[in-house]
Structure formats: C-alpha cells, structure tokens
Amino acid sequence: MSVRVLVVEDETEIADFVVRGLREEGFTVEHAADGLSGWHRLTTETWDVVLLDWWLPELDGLTILQRYRKGGNRTPVLFLTARDAVSDRVRGLDGGADDYLCKPFAFEELLARVRSLSRRQDGRTGTLLSHADVQIDLATHRTERAGKKLELTAKEQALLVFFMRYPGDVLTRTRIYEHVWDERYDGVSNTLEVHVKELRRKLEVHGPRLIQTLRGRGYVFGTNVTG
Ligand code: CA
C-alpha cells in the first residue's frame, strides 16, 4: 500500500506543486483547500503523513493540529508556515507538529521531510493491531487468529489491516478500493469480493465469521455485528 499523504493548503500554487511532486514520487496524495474540509478528511480517513498549513480559511492549522492531538491521533504532521520566527516554530511544535517547514521551500527539502516522517510512522506502527482473537504485527506482517499463523497475500493482508482499523464501521466498496487498491471503484469489478471471500476462508478456519456483508452498502468487520 503506498504512503497516503494529506495536504491541507489554501494557496493553489503551492498545493499544486506539492501534490504533483509527491504523486510523481509515488505517494498517494489528497488535497484539502481550507481548514474545515482539511479537518473533515483528517478525522474521517487514515493518513500516513499530513502536511498542514498554518494560515487557512475557516479553521487555522494550529487549532486543527491541537484538536487532532487532543483526540489522541499520532499521525506525523509536517507544519507549513510562512513565518520564520522562533516563537512560531515553537508554537507549532508545542501544538504537536513532528516537524515544520518555512515557506518558500524547495521541493527536495519537503520530500526529505515527508520521507523521514513516513519512515518514522512505519517504525511507530511496528506494533500489534488486534481485534478479538486476530492479531497482526505490522512490522513483521505476521498475522494470527487464535494463535494460529495465517498465510495471507499482500492484498489480503492490506485488506485485513484496513478492516481492523475500523471495527464496527460500515466500509463501502469505494472506500476500500481507495485505500487498499489506490483506485476508484468502477462499480462493476468483483476484485474486492474475490479477496474478501479468500480472506474469510482463511480466517474462518480458526473461528467464526468476522467480515459481514451489508447488502448494497459494503462490509463491516468485527464481532457482535449483525448484518
Ligand atoms: Ca495559507
């Protein structure tokens, strides 16, 4: 799964340059042009790195950052600021930024920071993701159910990680395609169904069904879910 980057930036020129550049480097990049839509995307989707501008319409970057951290989210945030004053940098870092970059900046400089933050995120998520009797070690990719090792393909693994990050949530096909395949759902492909079927088969060797189908809506992962 490629690294997902959210760019919250209202200046079109900077946003275009950053989004295009990062996509060319193989990142999956989404853009929000104001504070409110940035906040919405930040809190409703999963990101590996966030680029957050300080001065934004609707809701400023520092407020967004503080709220995000208060909610317990540890996703790395690179704070973008036009200011170079020490006190402003300190405020950004105190607010929970992992790093900052002063405008104007060279793309190379931005790329180095984003790479470094995405690596840091890899290290941090080298922990166990678990739900009921299923466990995934995100560093080694070892997956177990009821203590038994599961042999999953890379896509099945990515799909299971995504389900396990949102237990109990209705995950639409569109959302799953975007996250696991980095593609838009064309409405007809059965790729997802095939992978879900195979993942269920492997999971259900060791216990009851965990991936429920909600007809016409998508899937829900977890115990105590009624489809
Ligand atoms: Ca701005």
Side-chain angles (χ1 to χ4, degrees):
M1 227 181 343
S2 87
V3 175
R4 283 176 57 83
V5 181
L6 176 65
V7 177
V8 188
E9 168 64 78
D10 60 314
E11 286 157 78
T12 315
E13 252 177 60
I14 296 177
D16 286 352
F17 149 79
V18 167
V19 169
R20 191 176 57 242
L22 289 175
R23 280 186 183 150
E24 283 169 3
E25 293 297 324
F27 293 92
T28 298
V29 190
E30 297 293 337
H31 171 228
D34 65 72
L36 277 184
S37 62
W39 174 251
H40 179 73
R41 297 210 67 169
L42 197 56
T43 50
T44 56
E45 297 174 53
T46 320
W47 305 99
D48 297 302
V49 178
V50 177
L51 269 58
L52 184 61
D53 183 32
W54 185 315
W55 294 107
L56 291 165
E58 312 282 355
L59 194 61
D60 71 89
L62 190 59
T63 305
I64 291 175
L65 181 59
Q66 287 166 340
R67 281 192 199 169
Y68 192 52
R69 292 300 186 228
K70 210 173 273 178
N73 203 305
R74 306 312 310 157
T75 300
V77 173
L78 176 61
F79 210 48
L80 304 178
T81 171
R83 307 164 152 207
D84 199 13
V86 173
S87 63
D88 289 338
R89 281 182 253 157
V90 169
R91 279 175 74 196
L93 294 172
D94 277 353
D98 295 83
D99 204 349
Y100 64 87
L101 202 53
C102 295
K103 296 177 191 172
F105 50 81
F107 182 73
E108 284 301 312
E109 199 179 353
L110 174 83
L111 182 61
R113 308 284 175 103
V114 170
R115 284 201 172 128
S116 154
L117 289 174
S118 63
R119 276 197 298 270
R120 203 188 296 182
Q121 174 75 341
D122 280 347
R124 179 158 31 211
T125 54
T127 50
L128 286 182
L129 192 59
S130 68
H131 182 88
D133 57 355
V134 181
Q135 282 196 334
I136 302 181
D137 184 322
L138 293 167
T140 63
H141 295 262
R142 186 184 170 88
T143 305
E144 294 181 351
R145 180 162 197 195
K148 307 280 191 330
K149 187 167 186 269
L150 303 183
E151 299 292 342
L152 303 181
T153 64
K155 280 296 177 213
E156 289 161 6
Q157 171 96 17
L159 188 57
L160 183 59
V161 167
F162 188 54
F163 277 131
M164 287 179 69
R165 286 207 163 124
Y166 299 96
D169 284 7
V170 176
L171 299 173
T172 62
R173 284 175 174 72
T174 301
R175 209 169 148 201
I176 298 172
Y177 267 97
E178 273 183 14
H179 282 260
V180 181
W181 278 269
D182 285 335
E183 282 171 12
R184 291 210 184 283
Y185 177 48
D186 62 8
V188 290
S189 164
N190 72 340
T191 307
L192 176 57
E193 282 70 17
V194 170
H195 281 80
V196 166
K197 191 176 172 202
E198 196 51 22
L199 183 56
R200 273 183 177 149
R201 190 185 64 73
K202 292 177 180 178
L203 284 168
E204 290 170 17
V205 171
H206 308 294
R209 178 153 294 191
L210 287 171
I211 303 169
Q212 317 296 335
T213 305
L214 297 188
R215 281 183 69 187
R217 296 176 66 200
Y219 297 97
V220 177
F221 179 85
T223 50
N224 306 318
V225 176
T226 48

